[in-house]
């Protein structure tokens, strides 16, 4: 069973997932990175460019999903180095530091709250998110063209691309595509017909939506929406 709630860390989400049976799951691209807990270990999920398929025996997972662009400053690593990867936190931080943090998370009332406290503590040490990155996400999330976004922010195309690689793990065009997918899924899951969803989310037509969902999620829209139910 999956459950989530808003975190006390601005823009972040705290979640838990306890599958009830063996099988595969599908984590969709969303522009985010996560700090994860599983079986007493801490891991990091990098930004995805395609669905991440999970499989194996049931087990409890917990995580903090950071707002797009905010995790690299907290973790101290550019997002593109973790693109489409899941790594142990010890791959990024000194082992002794990770052992201390893991012990604190494991000693918390539950792993999710322990992860949230760790994220809040780290954020207090690193300062607020870069407002420019938040503006990039807001503009592209609203469907603004990449070129127009760069112009509005006073950035050249190359500068926007470099900033995006470090903050989001990929260029602004890919980020815009991922955020468009999330807009479409939100509309479709709320009951909007797919043809209308395509138009409102910024696709050329329903066929364009279907192709994009297949490429990013690995399945057709109908199957993806049915799995949600």
């Amino acid at each position: 069973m999956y459950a989530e709630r808003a975190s006390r860390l601005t823009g972040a989400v705290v979640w838990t997932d306890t599958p009830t049976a063996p099988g595969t799951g599908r984590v969709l691209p969303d522009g985010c990175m996560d700090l994860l807990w599983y079986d007493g270990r801490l891991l990091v999920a990098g930004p995805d460019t395609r669905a991440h398929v999970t499989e194996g025996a049931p087990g409890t997972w917990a995580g903090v999903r950071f707002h797009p662009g905010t995790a690299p400053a907290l973790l101290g690593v550019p997002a593109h180095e973790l693109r489409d990867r899941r790594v142990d936190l010890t791959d990024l931080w000194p082992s002794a530091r990770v052992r201390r943090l893991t012990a604190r998370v494991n000693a918390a009332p539950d792993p999710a709250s322990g992860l949230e406290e760790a994220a809040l503590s780290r954020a207090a040490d690193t300062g607020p998110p870069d407002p420019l990155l938040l503006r990039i996400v807001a503009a592209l999330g609203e469907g603004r063209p990449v070129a127009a976004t760069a112009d509005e922010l006073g950035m050249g195309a190359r500068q926007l691309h470099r900033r995006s690689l470090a903050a989001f793990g990929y260029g602004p065009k890919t980020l815009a595509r991922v955020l468009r997918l999330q807009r479409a899924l939100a509309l479709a899951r709320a009951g909007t017909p797919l043809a209308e969803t395509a138009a409102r989310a910024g696709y050329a037509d329903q066929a364009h939506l279907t192709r994009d969902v297949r490429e990013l999620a690995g399945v057709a829209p109908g199957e993806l929406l049915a799995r949600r139910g």
Side-chain angles (χ1 to χ4, degrees):
M1 179 178 178
Y2 177 84
E4 66 176 42
R5 62 172 174 81
S7 172
R8 288 178 289 145
L9 179 64
T10 302
V13 171
V14 179
W15 58 268
T16 57
D17 190 16
T18 307
T20 57
T24 60
R26 194 169 296 270
V27 180
L28 302 183
D30 57 8
C32 301
M33 295 171 60
D34 293 57
L35 178 62
L36 308 171
W37 176 95
Y38 176 72
D39 195 25
R41 298 163 49 216
L42 298 183
L43 306 96
V44 174
D48 293 321
T49 59
R50 57 188 181 276
H52 174 76
V53 178
T54 63
E55 56 186 346
T60 298
W61 287 80
V64 174
R65 181 174 303 116
F66 300 102
H67 189 273
T70 61
L74 300 177
L75 297 173
V77 60
H80 64 81
E81 294 187 8
L82 299 176
R83 183 172 54 233
D84 293 320
R85 298 177 62 199
R86 271 61 178 163
V87 302
D88 282 294
L89 188 57
T90 50
D91 291 341
L92 308 179
W93 290 1
S95 297
R97 181 181 178 188
V98 175
R99 283 196 301 270
R100 291 193 298 270
L101 181 59
T102 302
R104 291 206 305 270
V105 173
N106 288 337
D110 59 85
S113 64
L115 287 175
E116 183 179 29
E117 290 297 335
L120 287 165
S121 176
R122 182 62 180 162
D125 292 336
T126 57
D130 184 344
L132 179 63
L133 300 177
L134 301 180
R135 291 174 64 190
I136 293 171
V137 175
L140 297 180
E142 293 170 359
R144 297 286 293 163
V146 171
T149 297
D151 288 342
E152 291 166 4
L153 297 177
M155 304 175 69
R158 290 185 179 179
Q159 183 184 10
L160 177 58
H161 189 79
R162 287 195 301 271
R163 294 293 297 270
S164 295
L165 280 178
F168 311 117
Y170 28 64
K173 289 184 178 179
T174 298
L175 177 62
R177 191 180 178 209
V178 166
L179 296 177
R180 183 176 61 184
L181 170 70
Q182 292 296 327
R183 289 199 305 276
L185 290 176
L187 288 166
R189 286 167 176 161
T192 305
L194 286 180
E196 182 182 348
T197 289
R200 290 175 59 183
Y203 294 92
D205 50 30
Q206 186 175 338
H208 183 199
L209 166 65
T210 298
R211 289 195 302 273
D212 224 42
V213 171
R214 283 187 178 277
E215 291 178 10
L216 291 173
V219 294
E223 182 179 349
L224 186 62
L225 294 170
R227 291 185 180 198
R228 181 76 172 189

